[in-house]
Amino acid sequence: MLIIGSHVGFKADQLLGSVKEAISYGANTFMFYTGAPQNTRRSELNDRLTIQALELMKDNNIDINNVICHAPYIVNPASNDSDKHEFAINFIKNELDRCDRLGVKNMVLHPGSAVNESREEAISNIIDTLNKVFESDNTCNILLETMAGKGNEMGITTEELKQVIDSVNHERLGVCIDTCHLNDAGYDLNEFDEYLSNFDKLIGIDKIKCVHVNDSKNVIASHKDRHENIGYGTIGFDTLLKVVYNTKLENIPKILETPYTGEDVNDETRIYPPYKFEIDMIRSKTFNNNLHSDIKKYYE
Ligand code: FE
Ligand code: FE
Ligand code: ZN
């Protein structure tokens, strides 16, 4: 079965609001941040809302096992600054506590950036962060995301992720692959089977627990990380479909993080979400060349 959704908000009505938003897109899963992705302020979880959310999910065939949480991207697990290092460990632990309380099984984490340090040092800091995080007996998994290589981002090659995964060697550590990031990091998604077999050889394909499905605004190996709507970027519709429907990734949640229609220069002026229409395109395997006008018509 195709398990597909998008990132959704987590606001005043918490998980209940996230579920409602996912349902409005015709999704059967979703990804959320437990607070704003760019800050670390977190509100108190309301168990009554969680119970309502779980009931609504049951009624709409959304399996909590397929729901993904995303850690805020401002924590840097690779940092060599001792305060930032401590902060990342504690913050990630807190996020795992919140996931456990919500019943969410997988949390995506960016491996971080090598700021004022070598990539080797950054790798050992990521390993140390994860080892300390895994000292707590949480149940939620951590999925390291494959990154585009913007600035000094870590986790841009399978080999780099392998170093971390081998050293931490924990059953709760997995991987989330992101199609835009793979493209921007230099992997040709036309050769996706090759990527997967290499991944399987180095890390083990069973470690892939989530796929972020995004087109890219930039050419291969650009190290930019700017997402584009499905079929409107340099990766293209057919290539993205091959990733989504790859039999080796069957039953793994596919999450869209594509830009809103009407979006402004800095990806900030968000207007209308594209997800309902992009999910339709992917389910029907038919490219919609009126995507943006259809979205506007629907929401206006
Ligand atoms: Fe991410
Ligand atoms: Fe992503
Ligand atoms: Zn990205």
Side-chain angles (χ1 to χ4, degrees):
M1 187 184 61
L2 179 62
I3 301 162
I4 189 157
S6 67
H7 69 144
V8 297
F10 186 94
K11 297 188 185 112
D13 49 357
Q14 302 187 353
L15 199 63
L16 181 60
S18 311
V19 176
K20 286 180 182 166
E21 187 180 342
I23 292 168
S24 80
Y25 302 149
N28 57 4
T29 190
F30 58 92
M31 180 175 82
F32 67 101
Y33 292 81
T34 62
Q38 64 277 20
N39 72 45
T40 53
R41 259 175 286 126
R42 293 295 180 263
S43 58
E44 187 56 43
L45 289 176
N46 178 330
D47 290 336
R48 187 181 50 84
L49 290 170
T50 306
I51 290 166
Q52 288 176 16
L54 293 173
E55 268 165 22
L56 189 59
M57 286 165 67
K58 220 196 241 158
D59 295 343
N60 287 277
N61 296 312
I62 298 175
D63 184 346
I64 186 81
N65 294 308
N66 295 325
V67 171
I68 309 287
C69 176
H70 197 309
Y73 40 75
I74 52 150
V75 296
N76 183 5
S79 179
N80 65 349
D81 174 290
S82 60
D83 288 347
K84 286 186 181 144
H85 187 68
E86 277 310 296
F87 181 79
I89 292 164
N90 291 323
F91 194 83
I92 295 164
K93 279 185 183 172
N94 270 324
E95 289 288 83
L96 290 176
D97 286 342
R98 291 170 75 87
C99 285
D100 284 353
R101 190 155 152 204
L102 293 166
V104 170
K105 304 293 185 319
N106 289 296
M107 182 177 82
V108 172
L109 176 71
H110 292 184
S113 289
V115 184
N116 304 320
E117 60 181 334
S118 67
R119 294 189 80 82
E120 290 68 42
E121 284 173 275
I123 294 229
S124 71
N125 283 319
I126 298 168
I127 291 166
D128 187 69
T129 301
L130 292 170
N131 281 336
K132 295 209 167 105
V133 164
F134 283 128
E135 280 169 11
S136 303
D137 53 353
N138 291 90
T139 53
C140 183
N141 298 323
I142 292 178
L143 312 182
L144 294 175
E145 182 163 356
T146 61
M147 301 310 288
K150 192 174 62 180
N152 301 304
E153 266 175 358
M154 299 299 297
I156 62 173
T157 62
T158 309
E159 287 74 11
E160 229 166 47
L161 290 173
K162 177 186 169 60
Q163 280 187 63
V164 173
I165 288 166
D166 283 358
S167 171
V168 175
N169 188 24
H170 200 288
E171 56 185 2
R172 281 172 44 225
L173 186 58
V175 173
C176 168
I177 61 174
D178 183 310
T179 54
C180 169
H181 299 177
L182 288 178
N183 174 78
D184 289 15
Y187 289 106
D188 183 356
L189 291 173
N190 292 304
E191 313 294 334
F192 187 62
D193 282 323
E194 218 168 88
Y195 171 82
L196 277 187
S197 63
N198 185 52
F199 189 102
D200 194 34
K201 208 168 61 203
L202 293 179
I203 296 176
I205 202 161
D206 55 309
K207 284 283 187 186
I208 301 176
K209 311 262 193 225
C210 180
V211 181
H212 286 171
V213 182
N214 304 303
D215 215 324
S216 174
K217 286 193 199 294
N218 293 287
V219 294
I220 186 165
S222 58
H223 303 296
K224 284 277 188 11
D225 190 9
R226 293 198 63 214
H227 301 186
E228 181 54 283
N229 291 110
I230 302 303
Y232 285 80
T234 60
I235 301 172
F237 190 65
D238 293 342
T239 304
L240 288 170
L241 273 195
K242 281 184 196 144
V243 174
V244 169
Y245 286 102
N246 192 296
T247 51
K248 288 183 177 143
L249 301 177
E250 228 180 328
N251 299 320
I252 290 169
K254 314 291 186 318
I255 303 288
L256 300 161
E257 306 173 294
T258 47
Y260 276 37
T261 285
E263 192 184 63
D264 210 347
V265 238
N266 295 319
D267 293 354
E268 287 304 331
T269 316
R270 306 180 125 208
I271 302 180
Y272 302 122
Y275 309 119
K276 175 182 158 46
F277 291 87
E278 290 182 325
I279 288 171
D280 273 353
M281 279 203 285
I282 290 170
R283 281 228 172 91
S284 64
K285 303 184 184 176
T286 311
F287 180 63
N288 176 358
N289 52 13
N290 292 313
L291 180 71
H292 295 281
S293 57
D294 283 356
I295 293 167
K296 272 189 196 140
K297 242 182 271 163
Y298 182 78
Y299 286 105
E300 257 164 22

